Amino acid sequence: MSREYQTFEELTDTATAYLTGLCYSLSMVYHYQREWKYVGNYMKERGIKEYTPEVGSRYLNDVIGNAEYKLLPKSKRMRIRIVSSLSDFLVTGTIRKRKSHTKPEELDGEIGLVITQYIIEAARLNGYAQSTIESHRLYLSRFLKYLRERNINSFDSFTSELIIHFCGSLGEYSVITRHLIILKTNQFLKYLYKKGTLPIDYSAIVPKDKYVRQAKLPSYFSPEEIESLLSSVDRSNANGKRDYAMILLVANLGLRCCDVVNMRFDNIQWEHEKLVLIQQKTKTPLELPLFPDVGNAIINYLKAGRPQSNLPYVFLRLVPPYGKMDDNAVNGIMQKYLKLSGIRYDERRHGPHALRHSLAANLLKQSIPLPVISSVLGHVNTESTLNYLRINVDSLKQCALEVSFNIQTGKEVSV
C-alpha cells in the first residue's frame, strides 16, 4: 500500500528501518543506504523533488545503461536490486528479502567423509586458501546430493552409467558452474582410484568439458588520469582524508582492496618506512616501501579523520558503528571520485583493480624488470603479471628475446 513521504530522506530512513527489521546485516544495510544516497544526489542535480519508480528507472538507465541483466557484472545487478527495492517499498510498503542460496550438503556418511578427507589432503598439499576449500566443498556437495537422491550411499554402487548421467544432469547450472562441478568431480574420481577406493578410474569417462574462459583485456588509466582522480578528492574532511589514503595505496603501491581494508597498524613499520603484510588472497608475505606521499596521507587521516576506536584496523567506517570496511567499499569510493573527476572510462573496467593494472603498465614503461613488477604486485609467479601487461604490447616487445635459426641443428635459439 503506497503512502506519501514528505522528503526523499524520510522515504530512505523508513526503508532503512524496514531492512533492519528484516535482520539485514549492518554491511548490507550500508550498501543499500549508499546506493540510495547516490539516487538522492542524482535527483538533486536534476532538480527532482519527489522520488517515483520512474525516477529510479531513469537513474538506473543513466548509470548502468540498458544491457541485458544476466550479462551485467554482480555489482551492477546489485545496484538494480537495491534501487528496485526502494521503488517496491514506495508502492507496497514492503521489501522482499532475497532468498539465500541453497546450502551445500552435509559431508557425512561414507561418501561424505571421504570427500572431506580428500579436501583436507588437497588443501594441505596445495596450500589452498579458505575460499578455495569452500569452493571444493560446494561443488562436490552437488555430486553428493545427486548420489543421495538415488539412494547411493557407498562406492560399491558406482558405475560408468552413473557418472555419465550425473554429468548430463547439470543443465540447470550456468556454463562456468557446470564446468567447475565437472572439474572437481573429475579430480575427486582420480583421487578415489589412486587411493584404491574405486577399482576403475571413472574420471576417464567423464565427458570432456570444452569451456574456455575468455581472457579479458585489463583496463588501464594513464598517469594523468590517476592524478586527476586523486585531485578530485576533497581532503578537508574525514571522508576525503581516508579515501585519499586508500586510493594511494592501490594506485601507488598496487595493493588489492582486501589488503587495504584489512591493513592493521602493525603492518606499518614507520621506522623502516615500509609496509609488511600477509596477502589476503595468496597468503604470501609482501613487503613494500612506504613512499612519503602514501605515509603522509595515512598520517593525515589518522590524526584528523579516523574515529576513536580500539580496533587494530587502520581504515574504518566513518558512521556508527565504526567497524572495519569491506572490500566493496573501496570500489564504491573509486566510483565516486571517477565521477567527480570527469574521467571518461567508456567500456574500460573502472574498479580499483584497474589501478593495479595501471601501476604495472606504468612500471613497464619505465623499463622495470618483470620480476620486480611481480614482486610489487605480490604475484607468486610472473605469468600472472604478464596477464596485466597485455595492455602494453610495445613495452612487452622490448622484453622479447631475439631469435635466430641454427642451420646445423635446424632449431631456433635465443640470443
Side-chain angles (χ1 to χ4, degrees):
M1 184 177 184
S2 178
R3 62 161 281 193
E4 294 185 359
Y5 294 89
Q6 297 298 319
T7 63
F8 179 76
E9 288 70 26
E10 182 186 349
L11 169 62
T12 54
D13 286 347
T14 309
T16 299
Y18 191 90
L19 290 176
T20 305
L22 290 176
C23 298
Y24 274 61
S25 66
L26 290 175
S27 62
M28 185 57 69
V29 171
Y30 168 72
H31 283 307
Y32 275 68
Q33 288 178 315
R34 183 181 62 187
E35 190 63 41
W36 292 341
K37 184 178 179 180
Y38 292 156
V39 176
N41 293 337
Y42 174 89
M43 293 170 59
K44 290 178 181 177
E45 291 172 0
R46 289 157 179 77
I48 301 172
K49 302 296 183 182
E50 181 181 0
Y51 178 84
T52 65
E54 290 73 23
V55 171
S57 297
R58 285 164 49 193
Y59 166 77
L60 289 173
N61 186 67
D62 285 351
V63 299
I64 295 178
N66 55 2
E68 188 176 351
Y69 180 81
K70 65 180 181 181
L71 299 179
L72 293 172
K74 182 179 178 181
S75 59
K76 291 188 177 180
R77 295 199 302 269
M78 182 66 172
R79 298 186 77 173
I80 292 174
R81 189 160 59 247
I82 291 175
V83 175
S84 298
S85 70
L86 187 62
S87 298
D88 287 344
F89 184 74
L90 175 67
V91 176
T92 67
T94 62
I95 295 176
R96 291 169 293 177
K97 190 168 185 179
R98 193 184 183 200
K99 293 182 179 179
S100 58
H101 295 291
T102 303
K103 292 183 179 179
E105 292 283 306
E106 290 293 332
L107 300 182
D108 51 16
E110 178 185 343
I111 299 175
L113 291 177
V114 175
I115 290 177
T116 299
Q117 183 60 35
Y118 161 69
I119 294 174
I120 292 173
E121 291 183 20
R124 185 185 303 121
L125 180 64
N126 300 294
Y128 288 155
Q130 186 61 37
S131 59
T132 305
I133 294 173
E134 291 303 321
S135 71
H136 276 70
R137 178 184 295 273
L138 173 63
Y139 296 124
L140 287 174
S141 75
R142 306 279 170 80
F143 181 47
L144 181 60
K145 179 181 179 181
Y146 173 86
L147 298 175
R148 285 175 174 169
E149 288 173 347
R150 286 151 184 79
N151 296 316
I152 296 174
N153 301 306
S154 71
F155 296 106
D156 295 336
S157 301
F158 275 37
T159 65
S160 298
E161 292 75 16
L162 174 74
I163 303 302
I164 293 173
H165 188 271
F166 166 69
C167 295
S169 70
L170 303 173
E172 64 179 291
Y173 297 105
S174 66
V175 175
I176 178 61
T177 300
R178 184 164 62 249
H179 165 73
L180 291 171
I181 293 174
I182 291 176
L183 175 64
K184 304 306 179 188
T185 302
N186 185 295
Q187 293 170 345
F188 178 57
L189 292 172
K190 286 182 180 179
Y191 166 85
L192 294 175
Y193 177 67
K194 290 180 179 179
K195 285 286 185 179
T197 306
L198 290 176
I200 301 173
D201 183 5
Y202 287 113
S203 69
I205 63 167
V206 172
K208 299 301 180 183
D209 182 30
K210 296 182 179 179
Y211 172 79
V212 178
R213 184 173 183 178
Q214 297 297 324
K216 295 182 178 179
L217 193 65
S219 295
Y220 165 78
F221 288 97
S222 68
E224 293 76 21
E225 287 176 319
I226 294 175
E227 183 60 35
S228 177
L229 173 69
L230 291 168
S231 298
S232 69
V233 182
D234 179 6
R235 286 177 276 166
S236 64
N237 56 66
N239 267 308
K241 296 178 192 297
R242 181 200 64 188
D243 297 349
Y244 185 77
M246 296 178 77
I247 294 175
L248 272 181
L249 285 166
V250 181
N252 289 11
L253 296 184
L255 288 185
R256 296 183 181 91
C257 296
C258 54
D259 291 324
V260 173
V261 299
N262 285 287
M263 182 178 293
R264 305 163 69 99
F265 287 107
D266 54 13
N267 294 137
I268 307 176
Q269 297 186 5
W270 298 104
E271 65 280 10
H272 300 298
E273 297 183 345
K274 63 182 181 181
L275 291 175
V276 180
L277 50 88
I278 302 297
Q279 298 176 88
Q280 293 289 314
K281 181 178 180 179
T282 64
K283 307 304 178 186
T284 56
L286 178 66
E287 182 175 314
L288 295 170
L290 185 62
F291 298 132
D293 57 345
V294 179
N296 291 335
I298 295 175
I299 291 173
N300 189 28
Y301 158 68
L302 295 178
K303 285 184 174 181
R306 187 179 187 272
Q308 292 293 325
S309 172
N310 293 324
L311 288 174
Y313 303 103
V314 175
F315 300 105
L316 301 179
R317 295 179 59 202
L318 298 180
V319 294
Y322 301 118
K324 181 174 77 69
M325 304 174 70
D326 60 29
D327 298 359
N328 289 329
V330 184
N331 183 65
I333 287 170
M334 183 163 173
Q335 303 311 310
K336 171 183 176 181
Y337 294 110
L338 275 175
K339 291 180 181 178
L340 289 174
S341 67
I343 296 173
R344 294 181 59 86
Y345 41 82
D346 300 317
E347 298 301 317
R348 285 185 291 177
R349 290 189 171 191
H350 45 278
H353 221 66
L355 295 181
R356 279 171 57 83
H357 296 157
S358 303
L359 176 63
N362 290 328
L363 290 175
L364 188 64
K365 281 185 176 180
Q366 299 171 38
S367 301
I368 303 298
L370 191 59
V372 175
I373 300 176
S374 294
S375 66
V376 169
L377 297 177
H379 287 158
V380 177
N381 56 62
T382 55
E383 290 183 7
S384 299
T385 313
L386 282 171
N387 180 59
Y388 278 50
L389 299 176
R390 287 179 295 125
I391 48 181
N392 197 330
V393 177
D394 292 337
S395 295
L396 278 175
K397 287 179 179 177
Q398 297 175 16
C399 298
L401 294 175
E402 183 182 348
V403 175
S404 64
F405 194 78
N406 189 312
I407 299 176
Q408 293 179 338
T409 64
K411 296 180 180 180
E412 291 181 345
V413 292
S414 299
V415 296

